[in-house]
Amino acid sequence: MAIAAVITAPLTTPIRRRSLPSIRLSSSSVNLQSNNLKFGAGRAAAVHCPSKLRIFAVSSMKTEAPEGISFLDRKESGFVHFVKYHGLGNDFILVDNRDTTEPKVTPDQAVKMCDRNFGIGADGVIFAMPGVNGTDYTMRIFNSDGSEPEMCGNGIRCLAKFIAELENFHGKKSFTVHTGAGLIVPEIQEDGKVRVDMGEPILKASDVPTKLPPNRDQSVVKARLDVDGRAWNVTCVSMGNPHCVTFGTEQSQDLLVDELKLADIGPKFEHHEMFPARTNTEFVQVFSPTHLKMRVWERGAGETLACGTGACAVVVAAVLEGRAARSCTVDLPGGPLNIEWSEKDNHIYMTGPAEVVFYGSVPL
């Protein structure tokens, strides 16, 4: 699958569908035009946007502007149009799949599209699909390795903003989304952030799933897990997808997460025999009962800048271990999320941003 793309780069985050200038890959000269910025052929160019987006144009690009039609309304045989979004740096390729229940991109194609050197670059491909069982929409996602997770917290916020653009929603708006983790209800706030009812955490060990023996009722809380010759204390939580949360080892109770070599230790947790479906792993540092910091090794994606379901699992684990309150700010490498574990309904509520990066098309 060749990766050639039309890229439309917004200088501000769009809140409604609009016609925007685009960059089409070709064999001709560079002529990038955006807000009267132009760059000649044979030169690399960087555009610094107010949204902190940096666009690099190389000598195989030229500019074309859509003619009076929304980019996402274009219909071209053999092409898939997409919008790239990120939630705190956890980035996704969003595809309008509302006209069919079959993904328009295969897992193998998703791997190529997500490649950061030879493709578009992303942590996964997300499909906005028709709703089932009375829901408004369905979400499916392929990870950058081609695997399909049950759900993704940052991804659901990106999907919510994508749907709002597709449907031309304005202001505060909520809708229901069917996922592999069950019913999820995102709500777009007046300030543009997305608050998501993530449902109830799953704590029963066999349902996470983990083979670690339960040590508190049917749950695994601050249990020993031997990884690479070290004894870690872990709490296991599912947010529809499995999470292993650790605040330290038996020898060192307080992690300094910035010092961890996640590329070395992360895969050993992910593929540990105690996790039959593999696992996401969160390494957590506690600043205060309402302020946590985490790094994450995601199942099927590796280290990412943010993980919404992981942040939810972290707060649940912190409460169960007596380390934090039910409402916390969780710092991730890409920025903070606000997480609340409600005593009223036992649901987890996640609030955070989702931003457009650029628009594009890819031939399949």
Side-chain angles (χ1 to χ4, degrees):
M1 178 185 70
I3 297 288
V6 179
I7 303 172
T8 301
L11 294 184
T12 58
T13 303
I15 59 174
R16 59 179 61 90
R17 300 176 70 175
R18 62 189 70 177
S19 297
L20 294 167
S22 64
I23 307 166
R24 180 179 292 276
L25 298 185
S26 72
S27 59
S28 61
S29 65
V30 177
N31 184 13
L32 172 61
Q33 295 179 309
S34 186
N35 281 14
N36 297 320
L37 295 173
K38 298 184 180 181
F39 300 89
R43 295 162 57 191
V47 180
H48 297 273
C49 303
S51 61
K52 296 184 179 179
L53 173 66
R54 180 178 292 177
I55 307 158
F56 289 96
V58 295
S59 61
S60 61
M61 295 186 180
K62 69 179 181 180
T63 298
E64 288 185 2
E67 297 177 359
I69 185 172
S70 168
F71 178 77
L72 291 171
D73 286 329
R74 290 179 168 188
K75 304 295 180 184
E76 297 176 73
S77 178
F79 280 77
V80 169
H81 296 303
F82 67 87
V83 183
K84 183 172 175 178
Y85 279 80
H86 79 88
L88 300 178
N90 196 191
D91 55 345
F92 304 96
I93 298 162
L94 277 292
V95 176
D96 182 5
N97 216 115
R98 293 172 299 164
D99 57 348
T100 176
T101 58
E102 288 299 318
K104 294 180 178 179
V105 172
T106 68
D108 286 343
Q109 289 170 333
V111 170
K112 294 176 181 178
M113 291 169 69
C114 289
D115 189 290
R116 297 190 182 278
N117 294 309
F118 298 100
I120 299 161
D123 293 319
V125 180
I126 294 175
F127 306 91
M129 306 181 81
V132 297
N133 301 325
T135 60
D136 297 317
Y137 305 97
T138 295
M139 170 186 176
R140 289 184 64 183
I141 176 172
F142 293 150
N143 283 326
S144 58
D145 70 349
S147 61
E148 183 172 2
E150 298 85 353
M151 212 275 291
C152 173
N154 287 311
I156 195 72
R157 297 199 316 277
C158 293
L159 178 73
K161 295 295 285 284
F162 182 55
I163 288 172
E165 181 173 6
L166 291 173
E167 304 284 11
N168 203 27
F169 293 150
H170 303 286
K172 194 170 184 178
K173 180 71 177 180
S174 66
F175 35 84
T176 56
V177 181
H178 173 76
T179 76
L183 175 67
I184 301 294
V185 185
E187 181 180 75
I188 299 173
Q189 306 293 291
E190 293 290 352
D191 63 2
K193 289 185 178 180
V194 183
R195 185 175 189 261
V196 185
D197 179 351
M198 301 287 286
E200 298 185 58
I202 298 167
L203 301 176
K204 185 178 178 181
S206 59
D207 292 339
V208 170
T210 178
K211 294 181 180 179
L212 287 168
N215 61 355
R216 184 186 297 182
D217 298 326
Q218 300 182 67
S219 305
V220 175
V221 179
K222 204 175 181 180
R224 174 175 173 145
L225 180 69
D226 293 316
V227 180
D228 199 27
R230 299 180 70 186
W232 294 79
N233 292 322
V234 303
T235 293
C236 297
V237 179
S238 172
M239 292 302 306
N241 55 353
H243 293 271
C244 171
V245 181
T246 181
F247 297 87
T249 64
E250 289 187 349
Q251 295 74 32
S252 176
Q253 296 292 320
D254 299 312
L255 279 180
L256 299 175
V257 295
D258 288 336
E259 297 180 2
L260 293 172
K261 296 180 179 179
L262 234 56
D264 293 335
I265 192 66
K268 295 172 183 177
F269 276 85
E270 178 184 357
H271 297 281
H272 199 285
E273 62 183 358
M274 289 294 104
F275 303 107
R278 298 189 291 163
T279 190
N280 304 283
T281 309
E282 288 77 33
F283 302 85
V284 191
Q285 185 172 346
V286 179
F287 292 136
S288 77
T290 59
H291 188 189
L292 310 174
K293 181 178 182 178
M294 64 173 270
R295 289 175 66 191
V296 59
W297 183 268
E298 290 199 50
R299 178 186 60 166
E303 183 175 11
T304 61
L305 293 176
C307 176
T309 56
C312 295
V314 160
V315 171
V316 172
V319 171
L320 293 176
E321 293 194 20
R323 298 175 183 271
R326 284 179 168 261
S327 183
C328 295
T329 296
V330 181
D331 289 342
L332 303 102
L337 285 173
N338 296 319
I339 308 295
E340 178 190 0
W341 186 9
S342 172
E343 286 190 89
K344 182 178 179 180
D345 59 10
N346 199 42
H347 285 216
I348 307 289
Y349 294 89
M350 170 189 64
T351 304
E355 307 287 347
V356 169
V357 182
F358 58 78
Y359 297 72
S361 294
V362 59
L364 299 178

